[in-house]
């Protein structure tokens, strides 16, 4: 059953109304309940996640791991900033399409399928915030509240609200806590990439969903045909399909067996000059849903991880960069050379200079977004 954008919006609008009626009357200073912004956005505070974070955050090993992640995050941040500047230049000179700079929310229902996309976003933001909370608790920082981020009832993920002692913590501790979130996203990205190939070998039927015009299959194969074999090689999975077609050569005569109306038919056709047949085939709906969810989980987590490492407030990259001079100074306290390097770093990398970089980063982002709608 096709899920239209209108149905999804109406469903979440109903959920939004119910949440507002049930939770909306609680005081704003409460650690539980719904707090809305502009009638569109909201945070639903709960106490459910605090126990989990406290239990996982009791291990001090997270402190060492998160501090070691700071220089890694610095390297990723440099790459991300370069990519941002380069993509912005390409956007304005017309090398890349304008759609690439539109906010992710505008891609849902079109480029990104609704349910797999929302699941991917929830996974990304939830584990991002969970990682922040676990590392913060390992440093004995307080967690004020946890809950869900919402936009018109659509869950955007979970959040972890730090206590006031986070602001008073050392720069190195804040940098360590900040580094945990983006790294969690990158780990999820890698895990999704690792898991995906296993599903390509899962048993499934492949149904032709589109026959391209001006291609060999046009007029021979039909939408709804189920692929049975190619050159007598049985097709029972996506892997078998890809293995069968990758060896097809240009202008080659091939035999394709299909199931049409529960009858097995075999047809012959000659591939195009570039070795194409001209069909688009999809696996079963359940497998397609899993593959779409894995794909967008990998892509959105990669984007979340890299984007959050930009050196701009309120993103994590700001705190990561701000921690670097103190980290260098603490690596070897008795080293005069490292002490001198850290002093130079503090002169170059401080909250005042990072605030100026933040302004530049957001100006680039906003200019790109505005230009994408012009």
């Amino acid at each position: 059953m096709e899920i239209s954008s209108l149905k999804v919006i109406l469903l979440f609008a109903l959920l939004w109304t119910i949440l507002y009626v049930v939770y909306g009357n609680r005081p704003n200073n409460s650690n539980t309940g719904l707090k809305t912004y502009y009638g569109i956005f909201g945070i639903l505070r709960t106490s459910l996640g605090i126990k989990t974070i406290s239990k996982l955050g009791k291990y001090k090993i997270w402190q060492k791991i998160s501090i070691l992640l700071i220089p890694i995050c610095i390297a990723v941040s440099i790459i991300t900033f370069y990519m941002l500047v380069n993509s912005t230049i390409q956007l304005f000179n017309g090398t890349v399409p304008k759609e690439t700079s539109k906010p992710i929310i505008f891609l849902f229902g079109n480029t990104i399928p609704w349910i797999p996309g929302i699941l991917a976003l929830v996974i990304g933001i939830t584990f991002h915030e969970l990682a922040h909370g676990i590392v913060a608790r390992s440093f004995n920082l307080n967690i004020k509240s946890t809950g869900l981020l919402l936009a018109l009832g659509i869950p955007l993920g979970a959040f972890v609200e730090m206590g006031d002692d986070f602001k008073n913590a050392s720069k190195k501790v804040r940098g360590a806590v900040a580094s945990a979130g983006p790294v969690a996203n990158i780990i999820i990205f890698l895990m999704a990439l690792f898991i995906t190939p296993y599903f390509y070998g899962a048993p499934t039927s492949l149904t032709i969903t589109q026959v391209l015009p001006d291609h060999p299959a046009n007029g021979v194969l039909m939408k709804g045909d189920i692929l049975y074999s190619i050159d007598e090689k049985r097709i029972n999975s996506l892997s078998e399909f890809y293995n069968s077609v990758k060896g097809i050569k240009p202008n080659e005569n091939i035999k394709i067996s299909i199931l049409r109306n529960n009858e097995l038919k075999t047809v012959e056709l000659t591939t195009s000059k570039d070795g194409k047949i001209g069909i688009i085939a999809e696996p079963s709906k359940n497998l397609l849903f899993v593959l779409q969810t894995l794909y967008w989980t990998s892509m959105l987590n990669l984007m979340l991880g890299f984007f959050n490492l930009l050196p701009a407030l309120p993103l994590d990259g700001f705190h990561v960069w701000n921690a670097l001079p103190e980290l260098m100074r603490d690596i070897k306290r008795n080293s005069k050379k490292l002490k001198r390097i850290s002093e130079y770093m503090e002169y170059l990398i401080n909250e005042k200079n990072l605030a100026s970089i933040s302004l530049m980063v957001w100006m680039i982002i906003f200019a790109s977004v505005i230009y994408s709608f012009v």
Side-chain angles (χ1 to χ4, degrees):
M1 182 179 68
E2 292 292 330
I3 301 177
S4 66
S5 300
L6 179 60
K7 288 180 181 178
V8 172
I9 292 172
L10 289 175
L11 177 63
F12 282 113
L14 177 62
L15 175 63
W16 180 247
T17 304
I18 294 171
L19 287 173
Y20 192 85
V21 171
V22 175
Y23 293 103
N25 294 325
R26 298 190 183 183
N28 288 336
N29 60 355
S30 174
N31 285 340
T32 60
L34 177 69
K35 184 176 181 181
T36 60
Y37 300 89
Y38 309 108
I40 299 175
F41 302 100
I43 56 174
L44 180 62
R45 290 190 176 99
T46 69
S47 58
L48 296 176
I50 294 179
K51 290 183 180 179
T52 302
I53 290 171
S54 297
K55 188 175 292 186
L56 295 174
K58 67 182 180 180
Y59 302 105
K60 300 306 177 184
I61 187 66
W62 297 119
Q63 294 183 10
K64 295 180 179 180
I65 293 173
S66 58
I67 289 172
L68 289 173
L69 291 176
I70 292 176
I72 296 174
C73 288
I74 292 289
V76 176
S77 179
I78 294 171
I79 295 170
T80 307
F81 184 73
Y82 169 79
M83 291 170 61
L84 173 67
V85 174
N86 187 53
S87 63
T88 303
I89 294 172
Q90 291 180 334
L91 174 69
F92 283 101
N93 65 22
T95 306
V96 298
K98 292 183 177 181
E99 286 74 16
T100 58
S101 291
K102 287 185 178 180
I104 290 176
I105 193 67
F106 289 96
L107 301 179
F108 277 83
N110 184 10
T111 304
I112 305 176
W114 274 105
I115 303 303
I118 290 173
L119 282 175
L121 201 59
V122 168
I123 290 170
I125 297 177
T126 299
F127 280 92
H128 179 103
E129 292 295 319
L130 183 64
H132 282 322
I134 291 171
V135 173
R137 286 302 300 137
S138 74
F139 283 103
N140 297 318
L141 299 179
N142 292 322
I143 304 299
K144 192 174 181 181
S145 68
T146 60
L148 292 175
L149 296 168
L150 303 167
L152 283 176
I154 300 175
L156 301 179
F159 73 89
V160 174
E161 187 178 12
M162 300 290 178
D164 294 333
D165 51 352
F166 176 78
K167 298 177 183 178
N168 300 322
S170 68
K171 294 177 181 179
K172 185 174 70 174
V173 169
R174 280 181 282 162
V177 173
S179 68
V183 171
N185 291 130
I186 294 172
I187 290 173
I188 293 172
F189 159 73
L190 294 173
M191 288 176 62
L193 285 185
F194 178 77
I195 294 170
T196 298
Y198 290 94
F199 286 93
Y200 279 89
T204 182
S205 59
L206 268 76
T207 304
I208 296 175
T209 57
Q210 189 176 351
V211 180
L212 303 178
D214 301 324
H215 280 74
N218 190 32
V220 180
L221 299 177
M222 297 174 57
K223 181 180 178 181
D225 289 344
I226 298 174
L227 292 174
Y228 185 83
S229 66
I230 298 177
D231 280 339
E232 300 182 350
K233 293 179 181 178
R234 191 75 168 85
I235 307 298
N236 286 314
S237 66
L238 282 168
S239 296
E240 291 178 352
F241 174 67
Y242 293 142
N243 290 333
S244 296
V245 299
K246 71 180 181 181
I248 295 177
K249 300 176 182 178
N251 301 314
E252 181 182 1
N253 294 323
I254 62 171
K255 290 181 180 181
I256 298 180
S257 296
I258 50 118
L259 285 171
R260 182 183 295 169
N261 298 324
N262 293 324
E263 292 184 10
L264 185 63
K265 296 179 179 288
T266 300
V267 298
E268 295 186 13
L269 52 80
T270 303
T271 62
S272 64
K273 60 182 179 180
D274 54 356
K276 303 294 184 183
I277 301 172
I279 62 171
I280 296 176
E282 291 184 354
S284 65
K285 289 184 177 180
N286 290 337
L287 181 57
L288 181 62
F289 176 81
V290 171
L291 290 173
Q292 286 180 332
T293 302
L294 284 171
Y295 175 78
W296 288 110
T297 296
S298 65
M299 289 298 100
L300 293 182
N301 272 276
L302 181 65
M303 288 188 280
L304 279 170
F306 274 55
F307 179 78
N308 270 284
L309 285 174
L310 284 170
L313 272 175
L315 303 178
D316 297 318
F318 179 92
H319 298 293
V320 171
W321 276 96
N322 203 29
L324 188 59
E326 187 174 306
L327 178 65
M328 288 295 298
R329 187 176 64 246
D330 290 349
I331 288 176
K332 196 171 182 181
R333 293 180 180 274
N334 297 326
S335 173
K336 292 183 179 180
K337 191 173 183 179
L338 285 177
K339 183 179 179 181
R340 182 65 59 86
I341 292 173
S342 67
E343 289 174 353
Y344 285 129
M345 280 189 174
E346 286 178 345
Y347 178 76
L348 296 172
I349 304 172
N350 52 63
E351 292 191 5
K352 184 177 180 181
N353 290 342
L354 287 172
S356 299
I357 296 173
S358 296
L359 182 61
M360 180 183 66
V361 168
W362 287 116
M363 285 179 65
I364 292 173
I365 293 171
F366 287 141
S368 299
V369 170
I370 292 171
Y371 183 75
S372 68
F373 288 101
V374 176

